[in-house]
Each structure stands twice: as C-alpha cells, then as structure tokens.
C-alpha cells in the first residue's frame, strides 16, 4: 500500500488543501477559547448560572473522547468521508448552539460541537501527513502551530466583542467559514485516491474507551469543586475510569481492528513521544490557562484586554513554529528542537513564578514571549516524531494518539493545578483576610460581609471595587496561588526536558514508505535507540 505524496497534487491544489485544513483547525481550536469571555452575557440571557461551566466542559469532554475514534475511522474508511462528516457535525451543532433557547440546549449542542471538533484537529494533521513526506512535513505543519497560537489570543478578544453585538454570532460565524473549508477539502481529496482496506469497527473498544475518558474528565472537573475528592461520586468515577481503561486495553489486544493499535507502542520512539505529549499537556497547557487569571484578578484587566495581553505569546509561537518547521525540513532531524523547546517552556513557566502585584507589563510580556517561543519549537516536532515511526495503515491512529494524550493531559493538569491554587488561596485568605476586614470602617465591613465571596473569586470587576485593605489581600492571595501553580507546572514541564533527551535522533523519511518496510530506516532507528 502506498500513499500519495505532494507530487500527486499540483502546487495550487496542495496550497488550497492546506489552507482549508488550517481553516478547519482554526474553527475547532477557536471554539475552545471564544466562549469563555462571552459566558457572563450568555448566562444572563439564558438564565442558567448553575450550568454555566458545562458550556465549556461539554465541548472539552466530547473533543477529547472522540479524537482516538476519528483517527482509526479515517484509517479504515479514508480521510475524505471522515473529515467531511466531522465538519458537518461541527456546523450543524454550531447552528443549533446559536439557536439555543436555554442552557440545557446550549450544553447539549456544545457537546455535539465537540464531537465534530475532535475530528477537525486530528484529521487536519493526518491529511497533511498523507500528501507530504515526513521530511517535508515540518514546513507545512509548522503553520498549524501558528493556528493554535492565533486562536489562543483571537478567541477571547473575538468572544468579548461578539458578546457585545450578539453572542449567538459566536456560533453562527462558523457556518460560512466551515462551508468554504468543506467545499475545498471535498473538491481536492475526491480527485486523489487514498487507499483503504477491509474494515471491522471495534465497537467493544469504543464502548470501553469513551466512558473511560468521560469518567476521568468528570472526576477531575467535579473533584474539589462540586464534590470533595474523597466523596463517593469522585472515587466512583475514578474507579470506573480505571476499570474501563483496563477493559479497553484487554479488548485492544484481541480486536482485529483495534481503535488504538497497541503494536504502535512497541516502537520505543512512539511510546516515549506519547508519554511526552501527555506530560506536555499537563505542564504547559494547564499553566497557560492561569496566565489570563493573573491579568484579570491581580492587575484588573477585562477578559478581552487580558486576551490582547497574550499577544507576545502568540507572536513567539507563530515565529518559532513556522521557522522551526522549515529548519527541520532542511535538516531532516527533530530531536534537538524538542529538547530546546522543552527547556524554553520550563524556563518560561518558572519565570512566571516571579510575578507579583506590581510586575511591569513589559516584563510579563517578555515572559509570555519566552513561553510562546518554546511552544512553537516543541509542538510540531513531537507530532512529526510519532508520524515518522508508525506504519501508513496506522497513520490516523498514531496522529490522533498524540492529540488525545495532549488534550487529556491538559484537562487533567488544569484540574490538578486548580486544586493547587484553591488550596493556596484558602490558606492565604484564611490567614490574612480577617485582619484586612478589621481595618475597614463599620460601613465598609457591613458592605463586604454582605457580598458573596465566591463572586469575588470569579469576577475581576468585583475585586477592583473591594475596599483597599481587602483588595490588596485578595490580589496577594491570587499572586501567591498563581506562583505556586506555575512552580508546579514548571516542575512537570522539566520532566519533558529529561524525556526528550532520551528521544532517538532519527532522520525524517523522504518518502511515504513505512518504517517497518524500510530496512535501512529500521536499522537506523534501532541504532539510534540503543546508542548512548
């Protein structure tokens, strides 16, 4: 079996396809960030304060759980029908979310959006890997990293602006862009044959995997917030996740067409890259979630303004993602970009442990630039490492494994670091807030006592209007809590530095031939993995 290369397409077709794939990735990644700043407006319009977090959580859970399924389905049925199905699901759900009349409807349609979004991201990487050899893939996939950087900044800003116009356009805006991407992908891929093979869907594996992921994500989402970590609900969810995961692994060893072929993990490079992707998600993505919190809760900026303040990170990420992609394609090797990227990411997270209430804006911007540079250097080489090693028949499953591990790590890490920050906040506020309240006038103390402290924890507007002694304590508590978060995140990211040093320094293949079918490449891999 052979896959088409870039030579099978005209330059115009390749660039058109690549642009359409970037657009589909932008839609999916933007929807992870665009809703957050508009949530207060949406909640006020639909009167659903009790369910507001589920607007984000439903999308995250559905996206993470569906990623491995899309990878395997595209290996069996071909890329074009599966990616078109994902786009259709995403667009239908976007239209329904825009028409939602209550919070329950919106949460359900956001979950449906996530089912489509999980396919958009992983299949975009996979389709590029079908038409471009690993050696040349870096220069194209580097732009995908730029898409993630743009969405991380554009999402909050665009969401805040559309919330002031009409929040329903947050979802409607996907329709014209999605239709354009769907037409381009369909027109180009239909003219090029992507081989498939006789297939049998692993229904039992899917029945174990999806509820296992959902149980784990619900446990880390609810734990410490809706329920205590030791509560029967959380313990039960973790137990269910463990049992279902064990059942999934057992099922995959017996399935003829497993969703996640365990044979891929026999390759040392693939197994190591999967672990790195998981830890990368825990340390890096979860750390980034809390940077806007510093700008909002400590410095008093609005969500939209905090999104704009993330621009240095986006610029660093776009710059190094694109440039490193071209350099990797020229050199044909990726290991030392992973090592350097992990070092820079760890350094950037450690720099954020030095934040304080009076930190100059230019200094925090410099920290963001460092973090963005590391992210751009790291993300795409990791995908290339996994794609370079797997068989062509497992290319979709291998690519989706990287995205799945990274998303799962980010979801779990965000919850874990959230617990770290909450514990620190409780300690700081418990120790210092009573003394601050004692300094207030009777009128100020009465007004503060009537306020809802949970609202203080969620709204930068409330923090900005607190009496001076109380505001200073709250801001310092958040600063100390965030310092602890970034310290833990930096320690986790440091693990990736060690792991990337053990990555073999393989040469990216210049053809689409499978590594397993290329004796010279296989021998080089064995030599690289066994050499000191």
């Amino acid at each position: 079996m052979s896959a088409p290369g870039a030579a099978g397409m005209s330059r115009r077709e390749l660039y058109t396809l690549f642009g359409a794939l970037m657009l589909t990735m932008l839609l999916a990644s933007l929807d992870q960030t665009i809703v957050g700043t508009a949530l207060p407006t949406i909640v006020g319009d639909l009167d659903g304060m009790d369910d507001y977090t589920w607007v984000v959580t439903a999308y995250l859970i559905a996206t993470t759980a569906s990623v491995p399924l899309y990878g395997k389905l595209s290996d069996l049925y071909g890329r074009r029908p599966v990616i078109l199905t994902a786009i259709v699901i995403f667009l239908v759900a976007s239209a329904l979310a825009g028409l939602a009349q209550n919070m329950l409807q919106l949460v359900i349609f956001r979950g449906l959006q996530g089912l489509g979004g999980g396919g958009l991201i992983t299949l975009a990487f996979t389709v590029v890997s079908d038409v471009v050899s690993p050696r040349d893939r870096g220069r194209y996939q580097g732009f995908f990293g730029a898409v993630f950087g743009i969405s991380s900044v554009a999402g909050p800003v665009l969401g805040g602006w559309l919330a002031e116009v009409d929040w329903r356009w947050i979802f409607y805006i996907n329709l014209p862009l999605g239709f354009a991407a769907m037409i381009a992908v369909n027109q180009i891929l239909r003219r090029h044959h992507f081989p498939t093979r006789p297939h049998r869907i692993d229904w039992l594996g899917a029945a174990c995997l999806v509820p296992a992921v959902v149980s784990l994500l619900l446990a880390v989402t609810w734990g410490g917030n809706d329920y205590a970590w030791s509560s029967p609900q959380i313990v039960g969810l973790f137990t269910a996740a463990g049992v279902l995961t064990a059942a999934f692994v057992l099922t995959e060893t017996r399935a003829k067409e497993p969703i996640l072929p365990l044979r891929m993990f026999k390759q040392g490079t693939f197994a190591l890259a999967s672990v790195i992707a998981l830890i990368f998600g825990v340390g890096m993505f979860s750390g980034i979630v809390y940077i806007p919190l510093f700008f909002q809760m400590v410095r008093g900026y609005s969500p939209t303004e905090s999104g704009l303040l993330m621009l240095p990170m986006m610029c660093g990420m776009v710059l190094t993602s694109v440039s490193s992609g071209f350099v990797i394609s020229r050199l044909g090797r990726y290991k030392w970009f992973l090592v350097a990227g992990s070092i820079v990411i760890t350094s950037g997270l450690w720099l954020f442990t030095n934040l304080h209430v009076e930190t100059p804006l230019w200094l925090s911007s410099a920290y963001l630039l460092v973090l963005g540079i590391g992210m751009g250097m790291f993300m795409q080489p990791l995908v290339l490492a996994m794609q370079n090693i797997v068989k062509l028949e497992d290319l979709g499953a291998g690519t989706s494994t990287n995205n799945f591990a990274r998303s799962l790590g980010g979801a779990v890490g965000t919850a874990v670091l959230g617990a770290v920050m909450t514990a620190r906040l409780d300690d700081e506020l418990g120790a210092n807030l009573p003394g601050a309240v004692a300094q207030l006038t009777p009128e100020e103390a009465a007004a503060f006592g009537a306020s809802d402290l949970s609202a203080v924890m969620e709204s930068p507007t409330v923090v900005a209007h607190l009496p001076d002694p109380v505001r200073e304590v709250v801001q310092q508590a958040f600063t100390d809590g965030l310092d602890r978060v970034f310290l833990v995140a930096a320690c986790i990211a440091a693990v990736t530095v060690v792991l990337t040093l053990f990555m073999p320094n393989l040469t990216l293949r210049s053809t689409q031939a499978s590594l397993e079918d290329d004796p010279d490449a296989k021998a080089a891999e064995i030599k690289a993995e066994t050499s000191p």
Side-chain angles (χ1 to χ4, degrees), residues 209-252:
L209 175 62
V210 173
V213 174
V214 171
S215 297
L216 177 61
L217 293 181
L218 286 177
V220 298
T221 300
W222 284 342
N225 295 311
D226 298 83
Y227 304 98
W229 288 104
S230 59
S231 67
Q233 292 88 346
I234 302 303
V235 172
L237 285 170
F238 276 125
T239 302
V243 171
L244 289 167
T245 299
F248 172 72
V249 172
L250 180 62
T251 300
E252 298 305 273

Side-chain angles (χ1 to χ4, degrees), residues 80-329:
R80 185 172 73 93
V82 179
I83 194 172
L84 290 178
T85 300
I87 294 175
V88 169
I89 292 173
F90 186 82
L91 294 182
V92 170
S94 295
L96 292 174
L99 295 170
Q101 299 301 305
N102 56 58
M103 287 296 287
L104 177 60
Q105 291 179 7
L106 183 59
V107 168
I108 292 173
F109 298 145
R110 281 286 288 170
L112 186 61
Q113 251 194 322
L115 290 178
L120 298 185
I121 295 176
T122 191
L123 291 175
F125 279 107
T126 306
V127 170
V128 169
S129 67
D130 282 323
V131 300
V132 181
S133 70
R135 179 67 179 262
D136 296 325
R137 206 172 291 160
R139 69 183 65 178
Y140 294 97
Q141 290 188 352
F143 287 96
F144 285 169
V147 170
F148 283 110
I150 291 171
S151 65
S152 67
V153 175
V157 175
L158 187 60
W161 177 69
L162 289 176
E164 296 176 3
V165 179
D166 183 351
W167 65 263
R168 296 182 186 275
W169 278 98
I170 288 175
F171 306 107
Y172 292 151
I173 198 175
N174 293 329
L175 301 181
L177 300 178
F179 279 124
M182 184 169 61
I183 292 172
V185 169
N186 180 61
Q187 290 299 317
I188 295 175
L189 294 187
R190 71 186 299 180
R191 295 197 293 266
H192 296 271
H193 177 63
F194 292 82
T196 59
R197 63 182 189 276
H199 50 265
R200 177 179 298 177
I201 300 177
D202 180 18
W203 292 112
L204 184 57
C208 294
L209 175 62
V210 173
V213 174
V214 171
S215 297
L216 177 61
L217 293 181
L218 286 177
V220 298
T221 300
W222 284 342
N225 295 311
D226 298 83
Y227 304 98
W229 288 104
S230 59
S231 67
Q233 292 88 346
I234 302 303
V235 172
L237 285 170
F238 276 125
T239 302
V243 171
L244 289 167
T245 299
F248 172 72
V249 172
L250 180 62
T251 300
E252 298 305 273
T253 60
R254 301 178 178 180
K256 292 186 177 180
E257 290 287 349
I259 292 174
L260 186 63
L262 299 182
R263 62 177 175 269
M264 296 188 300
F265 292 94
K266 294 180 180 180
Q267 297 283 354
T269 301
F270 184 89
L272 183 57
S274 300
V275 175
I276 292 173
L278 180 67
I279 299 175
F280 171 72
V282 173
M284 193 276 296
F285 277 115
S286 52
I288 290 176
V289 167
Y290 293 96
I291 295 174
L293 195 61
F294 170 79
F295 288 130
Q296 295 177 43
M297 305 304 291
V298 178
R299 300 303 302 271
Y301 292 104
S302 70
T304 302
E305 290 171 335
S306 69
L308 288 172
L309 290 172
M310 299 290 285
L311 276 172
M313 187 190 74
M314 183 199 75
C315 292
M317 189 173 178
V318 171
L319 175 65
T320 53
S321 180
V322 174
S323 60
S324 65
F326 278 92
V327 175
I328 288 172
S329 292

Side-chain angles (χ1 to χ4, degrees), residues 277-526:
L278 180 67
I279 299 175
F280 171 72
V282 173
M284 193 276 296
F285 277 115
S286 52
I288 290 176
V289 167
Y290 293 96
I291 295 174
L293 195 61
F294 170 79
F295 288 130
Q296 295 177 43
M297 305 304 291
V298 178
R299 300 303 302 271
Y301 292 104
S302 70
T304 302
E305 290 171 335
S306 69
L308 288 172
L309 290 172
M310 299 290 285
L311 276 172
M313 187 190 74
M314 183 199 75
C315 292
M317 189 173 178
V318 171
L319 175 65
T320 53
S321 180
V322 174
S323 60
S324 65
F326 278 92
V327 175
I328 288 172
S329 292
R330 182 177 293 274
L331 298 178
R333 293 179 182 270
Y334 55 82
K335 172 179 177 175
W336 295 108
F337 287 89
L338 285 172
V339 175
S342 60
I343 291 173
V344 176
I345 289 172
T346 303
S347 301
L349 290 172
W350 178 81
L351 287 173
F352 274 101
T353 64
N354 298 311
L355 291 177
H356 51 81
V357 177
E358 301 300 328
T359 297
L361 193 58
W362 68 266
L363 188 57
S364 58
S365 297
Y367 295 168
L368 280 168
L369 180 63
V370 171
L371 189 58
I373 289 173
M375 289 169 57
M377 295 175 66
F378 188 91
M379 292 178 64
Q380 305 318 310
L382 190 60
V383 179
L384 290 174
M386 300 179 79
Q387 291 179 337
N388 187 57
I389 208 74
V390 298
K391 295 183 177 181
L392 290 179
E393 64 192 53
D394 294 329
L395 193 55
T399 303
S400 67
T401 299
N402 173 77
N403 293 328
F404 173 71
R406 191 174 59 199
S407 297
L408 186 62
V412 173
T414 300
V416 171
L417 293 188
V420 170
M421 190 183 74
T422 300
R424 184 67 173 177
L425 275 176
D426 290 343
D427 290 343
E428 291 293 317
L429 292 177
N432 300 316
L433 193 57
V437 173
Q439 300 177 38
L440 303 180
T441 65
E443 293 78 10
E444 290 176 331
F448 175 73
S451 66
D452 184 0
L453 191 58
S454 64
V456 172
M457 298 298 101
E458 297 170 3
S459 173
T461 304
V462 174
V463 173
H465 290 87
L466 289 173
D468 289 346
V470 175
R471 187 186 70 251
E472 291 171 3
V473 167
V474 171
Q475 289 176 329
Q476 187 60 49
F478 269 100
T479 301
D480 292 344
L482 290 170
D483 285 350
R484 182 68 58 86
V485 164
F486 292 126
L487 177 60
V488 174
C491 292
I492 295 173
V495 177
T496 64
V497 177
V498 177
L499 294 179
T500 54
L501 288 171
F502 287 95
M503 286 285 285
N505 193 21
L506 298 180
T507 300
L508 292 170
R509 292 175 284 117
S510 299
T511 68
Q512 294 283 22
S514 169
L515 182 66
E516 292 294 324
D517 298 327
D518 187 339
D520 294 336
K522 181 65 176 177
E525 184 218 2
I526 294 174

